[in-house]
Amino acid sequence: DAKTTQPTSMDCAEGRAANLPCNHSTISGNEYVYWYRQIHSQGPQYIIHGLKNNETNEMASLIITEDRKSSTLILPHATLRDTAVYYCIVRGGGYSTLTFGKGTMLLVSP
Amino acid sequence: GAVVSQHPSWVICKSGTSVKIECRSLDFQATTMFWYRQFPKQSLMLMATSNEGSKATYEQGVEKDKFLINHASLTLSTLTVTSAHPEDSSFYICSASLRRDYEQYFGPGTRLTVT
């Protein structure tokens, strides 16, 4: 599976949009971009995933560039409870597993 | 939907004893379950993948005789840490999936401390 690069940490003010970038320049055509987050001392929580089209659900939006080499997870109105480590994972088609990197520590402040 | 539970949430055991951790998918049938380990300030590391009714597939470097995995039903997988040592102290997290290539839903984790 392709490797991903994320910033180590980011800050966001409560109520503002949080935009979390992820680079995956070696992604191949059948690989999906997945986002999970992990609140301290809890199991990871699935957020969203996509192949090439932008995706939106009740939690977030996923914007994937046309060349698919990078993506951005958008939390439209961040709350204090969104403080967590966010993992961007590229996952191949078929029966590939999830490989967690170091992720981005997002701190949402009042 | 897609709720996964783990039991216990935390456990303390003495060195040399065995500990069993349960992972249950509460509202769906999971043909595949995964076990991860997470040491403090590190990311999750996949230990093994189990499919219902068959033997687990272990990642390189994970001792299959030490970490026994059983996936006897579509809603339950167990991880038994045998002859636990202090270095096995960690956060153990399971996940479940309808199929191996579907998104995984994670349990809340089990904190194991071996004294």
Side-chain angles (χ1 to χ4, degrees):
Chain A
D1 295 334
K3 185 179 176 180
T4 61
T5 304
Q6 298 178 253
T8 303
S9 63
M10 292 184 65
D11 294 327
C12 179
E14 188 178 20
R16 304 297 293 269
N19 297 293
L20 291 90
C22 179
N23 285 323
H24 30 78
S25 58
T26 61
I27 193 169
S28 58
N30 66 343
E31 290 182 317
Y32 289 77
V33 179
Y34 278 77
W35 283 84
Y36 283 82
R37 72 180 182 184
Q38 186 178 25
I39 295 170
H40 183 62
S41 294
Q42 296 183 24
Q45 177 187 22
Y46 165 79
I47 301 173
I48 199 167
H49 76 280
L51 183 63
K52 51 183 171 182
N53 296 323
N54 297 338
E55 302 287 344
T56 296
N57 62 21
E58 63 278 4
M59 287 184 68
S61 294
L62 173 60
I63 309 297
I64 303 174
T65 58
E66 195 167 338
D67 64 6
R68 301 185 70 238
K69 292 185 177 182
S70 66
S71 61
T72 301
L73 178 74
I74 301 172
L75 307 178
H77 305 286
T79 71
L80 300 180
R81 287 182 291 183
D82 292 322
T83 292
V85 178
Y86 287 76
Y87 297 99
C88 169
I89 301 170
V90 170
R91 184 186 187 193
Y95 294 145
S96 65
T97 56
L98 292 173
T99 301
F100 285 80
K102 298 188 178 189
T104 296
M105 175 65 219
L106 174 69
L107 176 63
V108 181
S109 303
Chain B
V3 179
V4 177
S5 70
Q6 280 185 243
H7 178 79
S9 55
W10 60 270
V11 57
I12 301 172
C13 71
K14 293 189 175 181
S15 188
T17 62
S18 296
V19 174
K20 180 184 284 188
I21 302 169
E22 292 185 350
C23 175
R24 294 182 185 272
S25 57
L26 299 184
D27 52 3
F28 67 102
Q29 293 187 323
T31 58
T32 306
M33 288 186 169
F34 304 83
W35 287 94
Y36 295 80
R37 182 169 51 182
Q38 186 174 32
F39 292 109
K41 299 190 178 181
Q42 295 188 22
S43 192
L44 283 78
M45 294 295 294
L46 179 65
M47 298 176 67
T49 302
S50 72
N51 291 299
E52 185 263 339
S54 61
K55 288 185 178 180
T57 302
Y58 290 80
E59 295 298 302
Q60 193 173 7
V62 177
E63 301 174 57
K64 60 181 67 177
D65 294 330
K66 180 171 183 61
F67 299 99
L68 303 179
I69 292 172
N70 184 279
H71 190 168
S73 79
L74 288 172
T75 59
L76 174 64
S77 176
T78 60
L79 167 68
T80 302
V81 182
T82 63
S83 187
H85 288 116
E87 55 265 32
D88 297 324
S89 298
S90 188
F91 193 47
Y92 290 87
I93 307 168
C94 74
S95 70
S97 180
L98 273 169
R99 275 177 27 175
R100 187 167 177 173
D101 54 341
Y102 280 21
E103 54 265 30
Q104 296 177 28
Y105 295 93
F106 286 80
T110 296
R111 176 79 56 194
L112 170 64
T113 302
V114 184
T115 61

